[in-house]
Amino acid sequence: MFAIIVTGHGEFARGILESAEMIFGKAQKVAAVTLTADESVEDLVNHYQTAIQSLQPASDFLFLVDLWGGSPFNAAQQIVAQAPEHYGLLAGLNLPMLIEALAVQKQPLATAIPHLERAAQAGIRRLDVSQTPHDDI
């Protein structure tokens, strides 16, 4: 089972995790890490290290971050680079991705990551009312 660190700017991580748990149920081996406006990338690396310790025992970790290239991504990248065989990093976190991550936590991390990319992309859809049947009331 891999552990999940959900992170992003402001309270995003706590909010999206709370939403996922409303739908999926109580999450196991998951930590939400926030970044406040006055914190640096180094502060965030320290928060990640604390989260990793709190999720022990676990051998593999997946960082789910809000934006590619943002501070949460950059801090996670530093940790992932130290042991890429035990860490994964996906940016562009959305609710379908997180719910699916909770559902596949028992899979190997290398298998889960491409699956989660597809789940996140599939969660982005546009309503086309011209193609939607309407009931006349």
Side-chain angles (χ1 to χ4, degrees), residues 18-73:
E18 181 180 325
S19 295
E21 288 182 333
M22 288 176 68
I23 297 164
F24 185 82
K26 181 67 178 149
Q28 301 296 313
K29 295 284 187 185
V30 179
V33 177
T34 61
L35 171 68
T36 62
D38 62 338
E39 290 181 309
S40 68
V41 170
E42 189 56 40
D43 291 327
L44 201 46
V45 169
N46 291 333
H47 294 324
Y48 290 160
Q49 295 292 358
T50 299
I52 289 166
Q53 290 304 313
S54 75
L55 294 169
Q56 294 298 334
S59 60
D60 294 328
F61 295 85
L62 176 61
F63 288 91
L64 299 177
V65 305
D66 56 356
L67 295 171
W68 181 277
S71 294
F73 176 89

Side-chain angles (χ1 to χ4, degrees), residues 4 24 97-107 115-116:
I4 301 170
F24 185 82
M97 179 198 290
L98 180 52
I99 291 168
E100 195 64 22
L102 297 173
V104 300
Q105 267 185 291
K106 293 183 180 176
Q107 292 183 10
H115 174 78
L116 295 174

Side-chain angles (χ1 to χ4, degrees), residues 59-61 77-88 109:
S59 60
D60 294 328
F61 295 85
Q77 181 180 5
Q78 291 179 26
I79 294 172
V80 172
Q82 294 173 10
E85 67 279 5
H86 293 289
Y87 292 97
L109 189 57

